[in-house]
Amino acid sequence: MIPSQLELFCIFFYVGLFTIGGGLVAITLMQQTIVDKGYITPDIFYNMVAISESTPGPIGMNMATYIGYNFYGIPGAIITTFAQALPSLITILLIAYFLTNKFSENPVVKSVFKTLRPATCGLILFAAVKVFVLALMNIPQEFTSVLSPAGFVSLFKWPCVAFYAVATTLLFKTKIHPVLIVLAGALFGVLFL
């Protein structure tokens, strides 16, 4: 099932409107509106996440462009990218119009931002856990099969777990640039998966 261009515009306007905290929040919202409605499969979606994360630019906008292009080519990419950017543009224009020192010091405004921080962290954590599980684990249809030792061993994608451990160690213990890790991950995927 393919959404219409108007549906895509509405979906990505919604994503742009409620993406508070960055691109990883946008991924969670996209997953709920695109994958859960059956427009694309979870595997294709998380492949798009991997590609969007390894290309320059904000991941949320990269995903919007990629998904729009996937459905309708260049016109679809333009529609989804514009739709996702439009709420931010409107918000910034409104803030620029109304923002004064008194507004930013308002206790209600401060309270709203204090509440948004933990909610945003939760959305980012949710997206990160879903990507982590998809990348490193084989989730069986029946969870009881994991209870045996052989089932537990088959639960993980061990080459991916090993690469994750090495990459994480390199990032934290050396001064290697993250782009090199991304390139190594792409090469690892091509050669070993």
Side-chain angles (χ1 to χ4, degrees):
M1 178 167 66
I2 296 177
S4 69
Q5 291 181 0
L6 180 60
E7 284 178 290
L8 274 181
F9 181 88
C10 293
I11 287 169
F12 283 93
F13 186 85
Y14 163 79
V15 169
L17 187 62
F18 291 103
T19 298
I20 299 169
L24 292 177
V25 175
I27 290 173
T28 302
L29 293 174
M30 287 178 206
Q31 191 266 335
Q32 291 171 349
T33 55
I34 301 287
V35 177
D36 291 353
K37 289 185 178 181
Y39 294 140
I40 57 177
T41 65
D43 285 342
I44 292 172
F45 181 77
Y46 286 110
N47 287 339
M48 289 178 168
V49 170
I51 291 169
S52 296
E53 202 164 277
S54 61
T55 54
I59 186 169
M61 295 304 285
N62 289 350
M63 282 290 293
T65 305
Y66 192 2
I67 290 170
Y69 184 82
N70 190 47
F71 286 120
Y72 291 104
I74 292 174
I78 292 169
I79 289 169
T80 55
T81 304
F82 177 72
Q84 186 161 336
L86 188 58
S88 297
L89 178 64
I90 293 168
T91 303
I92 291 301
L93 290 174
L94 289 172
I95 288 172
Y97 182 75
F98 289 108
L99 186 61
T100 63
N101 286 338
K102 291 179 183 176
F103 180 76
S104 62
E105 295 299 319
N106 185 318
V108 174
V109 172
K110 285 184 174 183
S111 296
V112 166
F113 281 111
K114 283 181 182 176
T115 306
L116 286 175
R117 287 184 195 120
T120 301
C121 289
L123 288 170
I124 291 170
L125 179 63
F126 177 76
V129 167
K130 287 196 89 146
V131 170
F132 183 84
V133 167
L134 185 73
L136 301 180
M137 300 180 75
N138 297 311
I139 304 299
Q141 295 291 346
E142 292 184 23
F143 197 73
T144 54
S145 64
V146 175
L147 300 177
S148 69
F152 180 76
V153 169
S154 67
L155 181 62
F156 294 95
K157 299 175 184 174
W158 291 105
C160 294
V161 171
F163 181 82
Y164 172 78
V166 169
T168 303
T169 303
L170 286 173
L171 280 172
F172 285 107
K173 297 290 184 184
T174 68
K175 293 184 179 187
I176 192 167
H177 199 281
V179 170
L180 295 175
I181 298 293
V182 170
L183 292 174
L187 184 64
F188 175 81
V190 168
L191 296 177
F192 298 107
L193 299 179

